[in-house]
Amino acid sequence: MPSSRTITPVTPSLSSPRAENLVFHVTLFLLSVIGFFVLLRLPRAFARFWRPSEWLTGHIFWHTSFRPQRARGVYAKNLAGNYSSETGSTSETKQAASDDSHTLYVHDKNNKGQQQVQTEFNLPPHIATCPAFLQRLVMLHRVRISPGFSVSQAVIMICYFATLIYAGCYKSSPFSDPVRAGWVAVSQLPIVIALATKNNIIVYKWSIGGTFQASISTPHIIWGLVGLVALDCIFFFSLSFWRNRYHNIMLPVHIIGLVIAIPAIWMHKPSTMRWMCACIGIYGFDHVCRFIKTRISTATIRPLPEMNSTRVEVPYINGGWRAGQHVRLRVLTFGLGWFGWTEAHPFTIASVADGEEGIILLVKKSGRWTGRLYDMAKSSGFTEAGQGRRVKVMVEGPYGGPCHSIFASYSAAVFIVGGSGITFALSAIQDLIREDLGGRSRVKSITLIWSIQDPSALHPLLPRLMSMIQESVYTPIHISVHYTRVSANGTKPRPPVAHPQLMLSSGRPQILKSLQAALARAVSLVEDARDERRVSGMLVGVCGPVGLGDDVSKAVATVDPSRRDQVGGIEIHEEVFGL
């Protein structure tokens, strides 16, 4: 007679005090490390908020009345007169060019008849990223292991995963004690959600022990499987293939997966409630902040055929952001498709805050949504300012940007951008000019290097570039535009204007040579300035493809250390494309 055997499901005890306490203390250790680096950044935070006006800037949008700023100490240059003498064009021709491009309001009215205003210098404090004796170590950390992946990023990831391996394997084995592995995964969920990174995968002993069928019949195991599948989907759709090509699929999968995973883990084991509450609190706080930072306004969209881009103007939001920050834009119309209004896309603000234009975005045609936006702008009619169409938009932000760095506290600034990354440089340089006119900037030399494919892309932004050159009455601006594509007829294009501070060249820019020239200009100008403007470092801002960021980082690392020390060190601020 065959003997009967009862299979008893193996139920891991996730409430084990030993496992829970260990991972709790490991989590505290990770938070302490994060807190240590936050403390190191506090001096830069205090330096940023040296003016009360900075307390709200960069967090929430608002609308303010535009007040033209007068230059300090001397008469401002007459933009119309200088521009006409250098290009042979009249102010009417220049204004027509601006109207045709819809890219710049040339502010002649702000410069004409300006009175001399004596302004006291109120220079911002400068706090270096690290002491001078650690500069070489910082350069080492910026060495690229692979495109867009530096040594410092690798060190952080290795240390983080080593800590998790210690928490999961100390006097235990994930194959014989899955309880520990489960607690390690659960304890990291709040950090994962806060930092928006990938999630861990949980391993169950019964799944490899041949008792799957018996174990799956219990409710808490079913909920555990539901949570596991949800986390696996989040992990799978976090791969670069989905992030870069199918972002509209990746994003809803993450949201739905998170909504399912959190209650499923709690139903799987109620003792994880405090961790799940932390996840819900972080996620809920983020969405409350998004709601507060969102504005619905009317925008005008205009096509820029030379740049294959769409210009988005939101004049009713003209304050609240810092140079270099970006927004998430939704266009509330069915012209982008039935569900196009649900998509939010990030774009860097190309204008300066508290100005006359409001928020200006340059949206490059690079996908389905941006292509439909460009087609809609191109098929629009004409407004009082030219071709354009008014649409309702939802603007969320501002986000990102220079964080606690103060661009105006450096002795020199170099911006190296590619393609649509020019938006970052435009806002940053305009902000530096405004701070300099008000006596609030240490920058004595500004260099812009813009790499584009087609030289015709320069024409829509030419009025803006010339305006910046003319408005910067104290700090010289040198602009170098490099194009990499030969024209259809094979002829070499001529510079659209004859100006010693604006050059058009073929081929890729020689980044190291440009950095050395900017260093030489900065050192010579600072030596002639007052003592209170002694050298305080050179800022190198990068915005463009990942390869451009790698090239700039490599070039900065090869700068002669003695030359670097002459200007007070070189610091890099990167804004690269991609996810």
Side-chain angles (χ1 to χ4, degrees), residues 459-481:
H459 292 277
L461 294 183
L462 181 61
R464 171 70 74 195
L465 299 178
M466 292 303 303
S467 173
M468 293 190 306
I469 291 175
Q470 299 296 335
E471 289 177 358
S472 185
V473 295
Y474 306 107
T475 301
I477 299 178
H478 296 83
I479 301 176
S480 179
V481 181

Side-chain angles (χ1 to χ4, degrees), residues 373-487:
L373 181 66
Y374 177 79
D375 294 339
M376 186 169 63
K378 199 171 182 180
S379 61
S380 59
F382 286 83
T383 65
E384 64 276 5
Q387 185 179 7
R389 176 175 177 176
R390 289 187 174 89
V391 294
K392 281 290 184 180
V393 295
M394 182 180 292
V395 182
E396 177 190 325
Y399 295 116
C403 193
H404 294 317
S405 297
I406 305 175
F407 288 175
S409 68
Y410 295 86
S411 296
V414 179
F415 298 95
I416 306 174
V417 298
S420 59
I422 186 65
T423 54
F424 166 77
L426 289 177
S427 60
I429 294 177
Q430 290 176 90
D431 185 67
L432 288 177
I433 294 173
R434 183 178 62 180
E435 295 298 292
D436 189 44
L437 293 177
R440 299 184 298 271
S441 175
R442 297 179 182 270
V443 177
K444 300 307 299 175
S445 174
I446 301 175
T447 302
L448 170 60
I449 303 171
W450 184 23
S451 179
I452 55 179
Q453 292 183 344
D454 196 322
S456 62
L458 172 62
H459 292 277
L461 294 183
L462 181 61
R464 171 70 74 195
L465 299 178
M466 292 303 303
S467 173
M468 293 190 306
I469 291 175
Q470 299 296 335
E471 289 177 358
S472 185
V473 295
Y474 306 107
T475 301
I477 299 178
H478 296 83
I479 301 176
S480 179
V481 181
H482 300 260
Y483 63 93
T484 58
R485 181 178 298 174
V486 182
S487 59

Side-chain angles (χ1 to χ4, degrees), residues 555-568:
V556 171
T558 55
V559 172
D560 182 57
S562 60
R563 297 290 293 170
R564 185 175 62 235
D565 295 340
Q566 280 184 316
V567 78

Side-chain angles (χ1 to χ4, degrees), residues 63 231 419 431:
H63 178 78
L231 295 178
D431 185 67

Side-chain angles (χ1 to χ4, degrees), residues 335-340 365 367-377:
L336 304 179
W338 286 102
F339 299 100
K365 181 182 177 182
R368 185 192 60 177
W369 189 88
T370 55
R372 289 179 178 178
L373 181 66
Y374 177 79
D375 294 339
M376 186 169 63

Side-chain angles (χ1 to χ4, degrees), residues 66-86:
F66 172 69
R67 296 180 179 179
Q69 182 172 357
R70 295 177 293 180
R72 53 174 168 83
V74 299
Y75 291 98
K77 291 182 180 179
N78 188 311
L79 177 59
N82 289 339
Y83 193 16
S84 300
S85 62
E86 289 161 358

